[in-house]
Amino acid sequence: MPRIMLLGAPGSGKGTQAARFASDYDVPVIATGDILRKNIKENTPLGRKAQGYIEKGDLVPDDLVIAFVDSAFDEADARGGWLLDGFPRTTAQAEALDALLGKTGKKLDRVFLINVPKDELISRITGRLLCPVCGKIYHEKSMPPRKAGVCDLDDAVLIRRVDDNAETAKSRIAVYDEQTKPLIEYYAAKGILTEIDGTIGLEKIEEVIRETLG
Ligand SMILES: [Zn+2]
């Protein structure tokens, strides 16, 4: 069972791809943000520690983030493999991850980078429409509702998230580019990076991932 990581800008379809991969390969998606929220909600010792930082307005430090990932790797469903989403974010975290995996003789098999041109990302983000009732997401061009501006499932009037404007999208993409560049170099140097054209469609992307993993 594979151990992989996905990299992709906001709007690249990374989240959707992660969910499909998890169901295809029957592995969990390990997303540090989700683990953090779960631990805080369940009031675990790690959760309480993290909350201390968050309440002070500080970032949760790397060693604690690593501890969260370590605990997620220990869960029964992750023994066979997993997909990392949103972690590591920095080269320091990538090195810590390698050290953590090295202790158990495991390794990250492959990192997939889903590449989408910036203009396309912005148009994907700004065209997004959301149903406030059921949460279904549409796109005014690529996935329009049957009746313009109205949810197919419950007839609610679709809304646009305030964050889904061109300016916010541009700055989120810029942050992503800056953060991810060193990681791309790190994994390329290790020879485990596969770049995928993110405009070929969900099924094709899935196919490339499957073929690469063999
Ligand atoms: Zn709806």
Side-chain angles (χ1 to χ4, degrees):
M1 242 96 77
R3 299 181 177 85
I4 71 158
M5 176 192 169
L6 290 186
L7 288 172
S12 66
K14 177 173 66 92
T16 312
Q17 206 66 58
R20 293 174 80 121
F21 181 87
S23 112
D24 280 359
Y25 284 86
D26 197 22
V27 295
V29 175
I30 297 182
T32 40
D34 294 344
I35 306 171
L36 201 84
R37 278 187 288 277
K38 182 169 166 263
N39 275 273
I40 290 174
K41 203 172 142 213
E42 290 171 3
N43 198 28
T44 66
L46 282 176
R48 281 196 294 276
K49 263 194 196 171
Q51 198 162 22
Y53 290 98
I54 293 166
E55 277 168 1
K56 279 187 280 178
D58 292 335
L59 281 176
V60 178
D62 274 2
D63 56 345
L64 197 51
V65 177
I66 294 289
F68 278 116
V69 175
D70 195 9
S71 76
F73 286 164
D74 273 343
E75 302 270 329
D77 64 344
R79 300 267 158 82
W82 33 253
L83 181 151
L84 279 176
D85 183 9
F87 174 87
R89 285 197 194 281
T90 62
T91 313
Q93 287 185 349
E95 283 165 354
L97 173 66
D98 286 345
L100 178 66
L101 291 171
K103 272 194 286 189
T104 53
K106 289 173 183 150
K107 65 179 177 55
L108 184 58
D109 295 315
R110 197 131 280 269
V111 175
F112 293 95
L113 170 63
I114 303 174
N115 274 323
V116 176
K118 199 183 281 181
D119 289 351
E120 167 78 13
L121 288 174
I122 290 167
S123 114
R124 284 185 188 183
I125 294 170
T126 55
R128 212 140 57 179
L129 297 168
L130 171 76
C131 172
V133 175
C134 69
K136 188 172 162 65
I137 293 170
Y138 298 86
H139 189 280
E140 51 191 14
K141 288 198 197 86
S142 61
M143 212 202 294
R146 283 196 293 270
K147 206 169 115 197
V150 177
C151 181
D152 293 348
L153 306 176
D154 48 37
D155 283 335
V157 174
L158 301 177
I159 56 164
R160 216 178 276 270
R161 266 190 290 237
V162 274
D163 276 356
D164 288 350
N165 64 68
E167 208 163 304
T168 310
K170 272 183 204 160
S171 76
R172 281 167 62 204
I173 294 164
V175 169
Y176 163 83
D177 280 343
E178 202 184 302
Q179 245 179 13
T180 315
K181 214 172 159 206
L183 280 181
I184 294 172
E185 285 163 7
Y186 182 84
Y187 289 118
K190 281 179 161 289
I192 59 166
L193 182 80
T194 300
E195 293 196 42
I196 305 176
D197 176 354
T199 64
I200 57 177
L202 282 175
E203 275 82 21
K204 286 264 172 59
I205 296 174
E206 213 171 356
E207 226 174 275
V208 175
I209 293 176
R210 219 181 352 235
E211 279 167 10
T212 307
L213 293 174

